[in-house]
Amino acid sequence: MTLSIQLICYIDLNSWNNELQNEGAKVELVLIILPVFIIFFIGFVGQKLIGFDIKSISTVALYLMSPFLAFRTFYTNALTMEYFYIVLFCLILAFILLIITWVVGTFMKTTRSELSAMILGGMFMNSGNYGAPVVLFALGATGFDYAVMIMVLHGLFINTFGIFFASLGGGEKATWKQSLHRVIRMPVVYAAAIGILLQESQVTVPQAVINGVGLVADASIPTVMLVLGMQLAVISRKKVAYRYVAAVSVIRIIVSPLLAVGILYFLPVNDPVKQVAIILAAMPTAANTTMLALQFNTEPDLVSFTTLVTTLVSIFSIPLVLFFLGIS
């Protein structure tokens, strides 16, 4: 009888402990996501109370801050053959998402500007200041290393392809040739190239210089998030086509991770790489897309609202992705 009581007590205590651990994991995941929303909120409130020149701030982030972030990232992360399949995965996923978004946008009879905005929202995910911390929490340092590599590639994509499509759909109605010229003129491309060159040449940059670069680089991410919050504060709902937001949200939150699963099935990569790739593929629209939409006047309200919606939905969708991947 005593043994039975002890066994029941042990089972109850063990179940209670498991419940506490599960609740603790949920709380920690929320705490990781919370800083993103805090920065959004600060930008939102600041714009409501003060009223900043949003485009000027976005220009500073795009032309002055982002190049330093790109340089530091490519200089400090060695590019090895180990990441070949990661590069291949990112390229295939981006291409398929582009085609799907293009087909959906064409079927919905969008304008060129609206189609470009949909591509920005559907093709580019927030793998940096949102995805990488989630991976670190879920998979630890090993997974985080892979996340950084994917983040670097996504950063390069958004600062080349993202700029191209934002420029192509901008208010000035740029031609394909003019859009390519704008990509060529972007300093972030050259900053990344210099970082890779110095990394591969094993040239040591003085620590004092790295510290200075790091200060500007660290400021770029929160600045971009602030810009998003500011843009959300001035969104006029009547200007936002909700059917486009819904279509892009489905592509970003549901289609993208499912595509990642399909692509990774044919690639000889280990389980940690697969898990990281799927988690990042499920991330909401990248905050940088708002900055590009503002810079080139490519339906900034639509892009910003899409980023907000996908980010809010991700609070519920990301835990589901982690659950199906067997991560607790």
Side-chain angles (χ1 to χ4, degrees):
M1 182 68 176
T2 302
L3 180 61
S4 299
I5 294 175
Q6 290 177 342
L7 182 59
I8 293 173
C9 291
Y10 173 77
I11 293 174
D12 289 342
L13 288 173
N14 190 49
S15 300
W16 184 54
N17 184 54
N18 289 336
E19 289 179 4
L20 287 177
Q21 289 179 346
N22 291 335
E23 290 300 322
K26 294 177 182 177
V27 170
E28 288 185 28
L29 182 58
V30 171
L31 291 178
I32 289 176
I33 299 173
L34 183 60
V36 176
F37 291 93
I38 290 176
I39 299 176
F40 285 168
F41 182 71
I42 292 173
F44 183 92
V45 173
Q47 185 62 30
K48 286 289 188 182
L49 296 178
I50 302 175
F52 295 97
D53 184 350
I54 303 176
K55 189 167 184 177
S56 295
I57 299 175
S58 71
T59 300
V60 170
L62 184 62
Y63 286 91
L64 295 184
M65 294 182 176
S66 295
F68 287 92
L69 178 62
F71 170 81
R72 185 182 67 175
T73 302
F74 281 89
Y75 176 71
T76 57
N77 291 276
L79 302 178
T80 64
M81 288 301 297
E82 180 184 7
Y83 298 113
F84 170 76
Y85 288 112
I86 295 179
V87 174
L88 183 61
F89 163 79
C90 291
L91 288 171
I92 295 174
L93 179 62
F95 178 74
I96 297 177
L97 286 173
L98 170 61
I99 297 301
I100 291 176
T101 309
W102 193 293
V103 170
V104 171
T106 302
F107 179 78
M108 298 178 74
K109 298 181 180 180
T110 59
T111 64
R112 183 165 71 166
S113 183
E114 290 168 341
L115 179 58
S116 294
M118 288 184 65
I119 291 173
L120 288 176
M123 184 176 174
F124 304 107
M125 63 284 294
N126 193 342
S127 57
N129 45 13
Y130 191 167
V134 171
V135 169
L136 180 61
F137 165 72
L139 299 174
T142 302
F144 185 70
D145 289 339
Y146 294 126
V148 169
M149 181 60 187
I150 295 177
M151 181 187 72
V152 170
L153 291 170
H154 287 169
L156 182 58
F157 289 171
I158 199 169
N159 285 296
T160 51
F161 300 125
I163 291 171
F164 174 79
F165 286 110
S167 174
L168 190 64
E172 300 176 12
K173 300 299 181 184
T175 64
W176 287 80
K177 186 176 181 180
Q178 290 171 330
S179 298
L180 286 172
H181 285 168
R182 283 176 173 169
V183 172
I184 294 173
R185 291 200 302 267
M186 291 304 299
V188 69
V189 177
Y190 301 101
I194 293 172
I196 294 173
L197 180 63
L198 294 181
Q199 165 68 240
E200 296 302 315
S201 302
Q202 297 184 342
V203 175
T204 302
V205 177
Q207 189 59 44
V209 175
I210 293 296
N211 291 340
V213 169
L215 288 174
V216 181
D218 291 337
S220 65
I221 293 177
T223 300
V224 168
M225 303 303 288
L226 285 172
V227 168
L228 175 58
M230 294 174 188
Q231 180 62 18
L232 294 175
V234 298
I235 283 180
S236 176
R237 290 191 175 185
K238 64 181 181 180
K239 294 182 180 180
V240 176
Y242 294 107
R243 62 195 186 102
Y244 299 148
V245 175
V248 174
S249 297
V250 170
I251 292 172
R252 179 91 307 281
I253 299 297
I254 300 176
V255 176
S256 180
L258 291 178
L259 281 175
V261 173
I263 296 169
L264 291 167
Y265 178 81
F266 298 98
L267 296 180
V269 294
N270 57 44
D271 288 340
V273 171
K274 290 180 179 179
Q275 291 175 326
V276 171
I278 293 170
I279 292 172
L280 295 186
M283 285 294 138
T285 300
N288 302 49
T289 57
T290 295
M291 182 173 63
L292 295 179
L294 281 168
Q295 187 65 40
F296 297 103
N297 193 28
T298 307
E299 303 289 339
D301 285 347
L302 175 58
V303 176
S304 297
F305 196 71
T306 300
T307 303
L308 173 64
V309 170
T310 54
T311 301
L312 292 176
V313 173
S314 71
I315 298 176
F316 306 99
S317 64
I318 295 301
L320 287 176
V321 171
L322 297 177
F323 172 78
F324 284 114
L325 289 175
I327 301 172
S328 57

